[in-house]
Amino acid sequence: GENVEQHPSTLSVQEGDSAVIKCTYSDSASNYFPWYKQELGKGPQLIIDIRSNVGEKKDQRIAVTLNKTAKHFSLHITETQPEDSAVYFCAASKGSVSGGSYIPTFGRGTSLIVHP
Amino acid sequence: DAGVTQSPTHLIKTRGQQVTLRCSPKSGHDTVSWYQQALGQGPQFIFQYYEEEERQRGNFPDRFSGHQFPNYSSELNVNALLLGDSALYLCASSSRVETEAFFGQGTRLTVV
């Protein structure tokens, strides 16, 4: 089955700095890569996703990149703010283009701490 | 829209007992997936229900079973609880025409 490795496990940055979280996956058939943010006492919330036919996607301060050949994908957060502090999970999955059958395999998470 | 709701939020059970957790999906969603999240780990897929049938299953023993009702809500049942079953149980809902899955806040199960 799919195996997703995520690094680092903890990331501490100063407010305003950039943060980068990296993941690798094992199944070359995976074609959908969501990123989730989980705050204390809450369920994971999707913050951005990317499909295998796209190399990069950006949404305001958040961007994701995907290298299918190397089976790497990364999350980039610029101008970090204290409210960005949370646990971030990458995930990889495969399914039909029409959706509905995606079962993401999650990484172990990165605890991001943004110091004011 | 209330989003995905789970009940109860916290639960304490004794080893060997049985537990039932409940999930109401987001309005418009017809697919429910259940995950187990141990402390410090990512969510692990248990199973997915669609049209009241289990469609996919992760690497979990038969002690874990589920059900989906005609209104798309779902239950997760765990029999013969073990200490190792202590975790946050997450429900996620989605639809067959969208990729994004929405998670509930989870049920924290403690087995003593």
Side-chain angles (χ1 to χ4, degrees), chain A residues 77-116:
Chain A
I77 305 174
T78 58
E79 301 172 22
T80 54
Q81 301 167 3
E83 50 265 38
D84 294 330
S85 296
V87 179
Y88 290 80
F89 292 97
C90 63
S93 62
K94 58 187 176 185
S96 66
V97 175
S98 60
S101 58
Y102 286 88
I103 306 294
T105 299
F106 287 81
R108 295 185 64 167
T110 296
S111 179
L112 174 63
I113 304 165
V114 180
H115 300 279

Side-chain angles (χ1 to χ4, degrees), chain B residues 17-79:
Chain B
Q17 285 188 315
Q18 179 264 345
V19 69
T20 297
L21 310 181
R22 295 176 175 83
C23 172
S24 292
K26 181 179 168 65
S27 177
H29 285 181
D30 55 12
T31 301
V32 174
S33 302
W34 286 93
Y35 294 81
Q36 180 194 67
Q37 186 177 21
L39 205 59
Q41 304 289 322
Q44 297 290 316
F45 174 69
I46 302 174
F47 42 54
Q48 183 181 78
Y49 276 84
Y50 171 65
E51 290 185 332
E52 302 179 48
E53 289 188 16
E54 182 183 297
R55 299 291 178 168
Q56 297 191 56
R57 188 179 183 93
N59 189 26
F60 279 81
D62 292 345
R63 297 187 297 109
F64 290 77
S65 63
H67 189 77
Q68 185 179 35
F69 299 93
N71 67 352
Y72 309 121
S73 67
S74 177
E75 288 182 349
L76 164 66
N77 302 294
V78 187
N79 294 325

Side-chain angles (χ1 to χ4, degrees), chain B residues 76-111:
Chain B
L76 164 66
N77 302 294
V78 187
N79 294 325
L81 285 167
L82 304 174
L83 296 179
D85 294 331
S86 295
L88 180 69
Y89 287 85
L90 294 163
C91 167
S93 75
S94 57
S95 77
R96 297 312 251 193
V97 296
E98 296 176 357
T99 307
E100 181 175 352
F102 290 80
F103 283 84
Q105 84 285 358
T107 293
R108 172 71 62 187
L109 172 64
T110 303
V111 182

Side-chain angles (χ1 to χ4, degrees), chain A residues 2-105:
Chain A
E2 175 67 273
N3 182 48
V4 177
E5 299 285 340
Q6 182 173 349
H7 300 279
S9 57
T10 305
L11 182 57
S12 184
V13 300
Q14 288 296 128
E15 183 177 1
D17 287 349
S18 294
V20 180
I21 302 171
K22 298 182 178 182
C23 292
T24 60
Y25 62 99
S26 61
D27 189 346
S28 57
S30 289
N31 57 6
Y32 176 63
F33 305 90
W35 286 86
Y36 290 88
K37 175 183 181 181
Q38 187 173 26
E39 297 175 320
L40 203 61
K42 297 185 179 180
Q45 179 184 12
L46 181 74
I47 55 172
I48 195 167
D49 55 14
I50 191 168
R51 299 180 187 278
S52 59
N53 59 349
V54 175
E56 184 174 355
K57 182 177 179 180
K58 196 171 183 180
D59 182 5
Q60 299 182 355
R61 296 186 297 109
I62 295 174
V64 291
T65 58
L66 172 64
N67 182 329
K68 284 190 298 182
T69 303
K71 300 201 196 94
H72 289 173
F73 57 117
S74 301
L75 175 72
H76 305 252
I77 305 174
T78 58
E79 301 172 22
T80 54
Q81 301 167 3
E83 50 265 38
D84 294 330
S85 296
V87 179
Y88 290 80
F89 292 97
C90 63
S93 62
K94 58 187 176 185
S96 66
V97 175
S98 60
S101 58
Y102 286 88
I103 306 294
T105 299

